[in-house]
Short mmCIF file of all heavy atoms in Angstrom, two decimals:
data_model
loop_
_atom_site.label_atom_id
_atom_site.label_comp_id
_atom_site.label_asym_id
_atom_site.label_seq_id
_atom_site.Cartn_x
_atom_site.Cartn_y
_atom_site.Cartn_z
N PRO A 495 32.88 27.52 7.87
CA PRO A 495 34.14 28.21 7.54
C PRO A 495 35.22 28.07 8.60
O PRO A 495 36.41 28.11 8.27
CB PRO A 495 33.68 29.67 7.39
CG PRO A 495 32.26 29.58 6.97
CD PRO A 495 31.72 28.42 7.74
N GLU A 496 34.84 27.92 9.86
CA GLU A 496 35.87 27.78 10.88
C GLU A 496 36.60 26.44 10.81
O GLU A 496 37.64 26.26 11.45
CB GLU A 496 35.25 27.94 12.27
CG GLU A 496 34.31 26.83 12.66
CD GLU A 496 33.65 27.07 14.01
OE1 GLU A 496 32.99 28.12 14.18
OE2 GLU A 496 33.83 26.21 14.89
N TYR A 497 36.08 25.54 9.99
CA TYR A 497 36.78 24.27 9.74
C TYR A 497 37.52 24.29 8.41
O TYR A 497 38.05 23.26 7.99
CB TYR A 497 35.79 23.11 9.75
CG TYR A 497 34.98 23.02 11.02
CD1 TYR A 497 33.59 22.97 10.97
CD2 TYR A 497 35.60 22.98 12.27
CE1 TYR A 497 32.84 22.89 12.13
CE2 TYR A 497 34.85 22.91 13.44
CZ TYR A 497 33.47 22.87 13.35
OH TYR A 497 32.73 22.80 14.51
N GLY A 498 37.51 25.40 7.71
CA GLY A 498 38.13 25.46 6.40
C GLY A 498 37.31 24.77 5.33
O GLY A 498 37.83 24.36 4.30
N ILE A 499 36.01 24.66 5.57
CA ILE A 499 35.10 23.94 4.67
C ILE A 499 34.10 24.93 4.09
O ILE A 499 33.59 25.82 4.80
CB ILE A 499 34.37 22.82 5.43
CG1 ILE A 499 35.36 21.73 5.86
CG2 ILE A 499 33.26 22.21 4.58
CD1 ILE A 499 34.74 20.66 6.75
N LYS A 500 33.78 24.77 2.82
CA LYS A 500 32.74 25.55 2.16
C LYS A 500 31.65 24.60 1.67
O LYS A 500 31.91 23.68 0.91
CB LYS A 500 33.33 26.32 0.98
CG LYS A 500 32.28 27.13 0.21
CD LYS A 500 32.88 27.83 -0.98
CE LYS A 500 31.81 28.59 -1.77
NZ LYS A 500 32.37 29.26 -2.97
N LEU A 501 30.44 24.86 2.13
CA LEU A 501 29.29 24.08 1.68
C LEU A 501 28.80 24.62 0.35
O LEU A 501 28.49 25.81 0.23
CB LEU A 501 28.17 24.12 2.71
CG LEU A 501 28.19 23.10 3.84
CD1 LEU A 501 27.02 23.34 4.77
CD2 LEU A 501 28.15 21.69 3.30
N ILE A 502 28.71 23.76 -0.64
CA ILE A 502 28.19 24.17 -1.95
C ILE A 502 26.68 24.13 -1.95
O ILE A 502 26.00 25.06 -2.39
CB ILE A 502 28.77 23.27 -3.06
CG1 ILE A 502 30.29 23.42 -3.11
CG2 ILE A 502 28.15 23.63 -4.41
CD1 ILE A 502 30.95 22.49 -4.10
N ASP A 503 26.11 23.05 -1.48
CA ASP A 503 24.66 22.96 -1.35
C ASP A 503 24.30 21.84 -0.39
O ASP A 503 25.11 20.96 -0.10
CB ASP A 503 23.97 22.75 -2.71
CG ASP A 503 24.48 21.50 -3.43
OD1 ASP A 503 25.13 20.66 -2.79
OD2 ASP A 503 24.25 21.39 -4.65
N VAL A 504 23.08 21.92 0.10
CA VAL A 504 22.49 20.87 0.94
C VAL A 504 21.14 20.52 0.32
O VAL A 504 20.33 21.41 0.05
CB VAL A 504 22.31 21.33 2.40
CG1 VAL A 504 21.63 20.23 3.22
CG2 VAL A 504 23.65 21.70 3.02
N VAL A 505 20.90 19.25 0.09
CA VAL A 505 19.70 18.80 -0.61
C VAL A 505 18.98 17.75 0.24
O VAL A 505 19.61 16.81 0.74
CB VAL A 505 20.04 18.21 -2.00
CG1 VAL A 505 18.77 17.71 -2.69
CG2 VAL A 505 20.74 19.24 -2.86
N ILE A 506 17.69 17.95 0.39
CA ILE A 506 16.86 16.91 1.01
C ILE A 506 16.62 15.84 -0.04
O ILE A 506 15.87 16.03 -0.99
CB ILE A 506 15.53 17.48 1.52
CG1 ILE A 506 15.79 18.53 2.60
CG2 ILE A 506 14.64 16.37 2.07
CD1 ILE A 506 14.54 19.23 3.09
N ARG A 507 17.29 14.71 0.13
CA ARG A 507 17.24 13.67 -0.88
C ARG A 507 15.93 12.88 -0.84
O ARG A 507 15.36 12.54 -1.88
CB ARG A 507 18.43 12.72 -0.70
CG ARG A 507 18.51 11.59 -1.70
CD ARG A 507 19.87 10.94 -1.66
NE ARG A 507 20.26 10.61 -0.29
CZ ARG A 507 21.50 10.21 0.05
NH1 ARG A 507 22.43 10.12 -0.88
NH2 ARG A 507 21.78 9.92 1.30
N GLN A 508 15.45 12.61 0.35
CA GLN A 508 14.23 11.80 0.45
C GLN A 508 13.54 12.12 1.76
O GLN A 508 14.18 12.39 2.78
CB GLN A 508 14.57 10.31 0.39
CG GLN A 508 13.35 9.39 0.43
CD GLN A 508 13.73 7.92 0.48
OE1 GLN A 508 14.67 7.55 1.19
NE2 GLN A 508 13.03 7.10 -0.26
N ILE A 509 12.21 12.10 1.72
CA ILE A 509 11.40 12.25 2.92
C ILE A 509 10.39 11.11 2.95
O ILE A 509 9.68 10.86 1.97
CB ILE A 509 10.67 13.61 2.94
CG1 ILE A 509 11.68 14.74 3.18
CG2 ILE A 509 9.61 13.64 4.02
CD1 ILE A 509 11.05 16.11 3.22
N ARG A 510 10.37 10.42 4.07
CA ARG A 510 9.41 9.31 4.25
C ARG A 510 8.56 9.59 5.48
O ARG A 510 9.04 10.13 6.48
CB ARG A 510 10.13 7.97 4.42
CG ARG A 510 10.88 7.48 3.20
CD ARG A 510 11.42 6.08 3.42
NE ARG A 510 12.43 6.03 4.45
CZ ARG A 510 12.27 5.47 5.64
NH1 ARG A 510 11.10 4.93 5.98
NH2 ARG A 510 13.25 5.46 6.54
N TYR A 511 7.29 9.20 5.39
CA TYR A 511 6.43 9.33 6.55
C TYR A 511 6.82 8.28 7.59
O TYR A 511 7.17 7.15 7.24
CB TYR A 511 4.96 9.14 6.17
CG TYR A 511 4.42 10.21 5.25
CD1 TYR A 511 3.67 9.87 4.14
CD2 TYR A 511 4.65 11.54 5.51
CE1 TYR A 511 3.17 10.85 3.30
CE2 TYR A 511 4.16 12.53 4.68
CZ TYR A 511 3.42 12.18 3.58
OH TYR A 511 2.94 13.14 2.75
N SER A 512 6.72 8.63 8.84
CA SER A 512 6.90 7.64 9.90
C SER A 512 5.69 6.71 9.92
O SER A 512 4.67 6.97 9.30
CB SER A 512 7.08 8.33 11.26
OG SER A 512 5.95 9.13 11.57
N ASP A 513 5.81 5.61 10.67
CA ASP A 513 4.76 4.59 10.64
C ASP A 513 3.41 5.13 11.09
O ASP A 513 2.38 4.84 10.48
CB ASP A 513 5.17 3.41 11.54
CG ASP A 513 6.38 2.66 10.99
OD1 ASP A 513 6.64 2.81 9.78
OD2 ASP A 513 7.05 1.96 11.76
N ASP A 514 3.41 5.93 12.16
CA ASP A 514 2.13 6.46 12.64
C ASP A 514 1.52 7.43 11.64
O ASP A 514 0.31 7.42 11.39
CB ASP A 514 2.31 7.15 13.99
CG ASP A 514 3.45 8.16 13.97
OD1 ASP A 514 4.20 8.19 12.98
OD2 ASP A 514 3.59 8.92 14.95
N LEU A 515 2.36 8.26 11.02
CA LEU A 515 1.85 9.19 10.02
C LEU A 515 1.42 8.46 8.75
O LEU A 515 0.46 8.84 8.09
CB LEU A 515 2.91 10.24 9.70
CG LEU A 515 2.48 11.40 8.79
CD1 LEU A 515 1.28 12.13 9.37
CD2 LEU A 515 3.64 12.37 8.58
N THR A 516 2.15 7.39 8.42
CA THR A 516 1.79 6.59 7.24
C THR A 516 0.39 6.01 7.39
O THR A 516 -0.41 6.03 6.45
CB THR A 516 2.81 5.48 7.02
OG1 THR A 516 4.11 6.05 6.82
CG2 THR A 516 2.44 4.63 5.81
N GLN A 517 0.09 5.48 8.57
CA GLN A 517 -1.24 4.93 8.81
C GLN A 517 -2.31 6.00 8.69
O GLN A 517 -3.41 5.76 8.17
CB GLN A 517 -1.30 4.29 10.21
CG GLN A 517 -0.40 3.07 10.37
CD GLN A 517 -0.75 1.99 9.36
OE1 GLN A 517 -1.93 1.74 9.08
NE2 GLN A 517 0.26 1.32 8.83
N SER A 518 -2.01 7.22 9.15
CA SER A 518 -2.96 8.31 9.03
C SER A 518 -3.20 8.67 7.57
O SER A 518 -4.34 8.91 7.15
CB SER A 518 -2.44 9.54 9.79
OG SER A 518 -3.28 10.65 9.59
N VAL A 519 -2.12 8.70 6.78
CA VAL A 519 -2.24 8.99 5.35
C VAL A 519 -3.05 7.90 4.65
O VAL A 519 -3.94 8.19 3.83
CB VAL A 519 -0.85 9.14 4.70
CG1 VAL A 519 -0.98 9.27 3.18
CG2 VAL A 519 -0.13 10.35 5.26
N TYR A 520 -2.76 6.63 4.99
CA TYR A 520 -3.51 5.53 4.39
C TYR A 520 -5.00 5.62 4.75
O TYR A 520 -5.87 5.38 3.91
CB TYR A 520 -2.95 4.19 4.87
CG TYR A 520 -1.64 3.81 4.23
CD1 TYR A 520 -0.85 2.78 4.75
CD2 TYR A 520 -1.16 4.48 3.11
CE1 TYR A 520 0.36 2.44 4.16
CE2 TYR A 520 0.04 4.15 2.52
CZ TYR A 520 0.79 3.13 3.05
OH TYR A 520 1.99 2.79 2.47
N ALA A 521 -5.28 5.95 6.02
CA ALA A 521 -6.68 6.07 6.44
C ALA A 521 -7.39 7.16 5.67
O ALA A 521 -8.55 7.00 5.26
CB ALA A 521 -6.74 6.34 7.95
N ARG A 522 -6.71 8.29 5.44
CA ARG A 522 -7.32 9.37 4.66
C ARG A 522 -7.55 8.95 3.22
O ARG A 522 -8.60 9.24 2.64
CB ARG A 522 -6.42 10.60 4.70
CG ARG A 522 -7.05 11.84 4.06
CD ARG A 522 -6.12 13.01 4.12
NE ARG A 522 -4.94 12.80 3.29
CZ ARG A 522 -3.94 13.66 3.18
NH1 ARG A 522 -3.96 14.78 3.88
NH2 ARG A 522 -2.91 13.40 2.40
N MET A 523 -6.58 8.23 2.64
CA MET A 523 -6.75 7.75 1.27
C MET A 523 -7.92 6.78 1.18
O MET A 523 -8.71 6.83 0.23
CB MET A 523 -5.46 7.08 0.80
CG MET A 523 -4.28 8.03 0.65
SD MET A 523 -2.73 7.18 0.30
CE MET A 523 -3.11 6.41 -1.28
N ILE A 524 -8.03 5.90 2.18
CA ILE A 524 -9.14 4.93 2.18
C ILE A 524 -10.48 5.67 2.28
O ILE A 524 -11.45 5.33 1.60
CB ILE A 524 -8.96 3.93 3.33
CG1 ILE A 524 -7.76 3.01 3.06
CG2 ILE A 524 -10.23 3.10 3.53
CD1 ILE A 524 -7.41 2.12 4.22
N THR A 525 -10.52 6.69 3.15
CA THR A 525 -11.75 7.47 3.30
C THR A 525 -12.15 8.15 1.98
O THR A 525 -13.32 8.12 1.58
CB THR A 525 -11.57 8.53 4.39
OG1 THR A 525 -11.26 7.89 5.63
CG2 THR A 525 -12.85 9.35 4.56
N GLU A 526 -11.15 8.72 1.31
CA GLU A 526 -11.44 9.38 0.03
C GLU A 526 -11.92 8.38 -1.01
O GLU A 526 -12.88 8.65 -1.74
CB GLU A 526 -10.19 10.08 -0.47
CG GLU A 526 -9.78 11.28 0.38
CD GLU A 526 -8.47 11.90 -0.09
OE1 GLU A 526 -7.87 11.34 -1.04
OE2 GLU A 526 -8.04 12.92 0.48
#
Side-chain angles (χ1 to χ4, degrees):
E496 68 184 57
Y497 304 126
I499 293 173
K500 178 183 178 182
L501 273 178
I502 298 176
D503 57 15
V504 177
V505 178
I506 298 176
R507 181 166 49 190
Q508 183 185 41
I509 289 180
R510 293 187 295 109
Y511 295 133
S512 59
D513 293 340
D514 51 350
L515 187 56
T516 300
Q517 295 301 320
S518 174
V519 173
Y520 285 166
R522 187 180 67 181
M523 293 173 63
I524 291 172
T525 300
E526 292 176 357

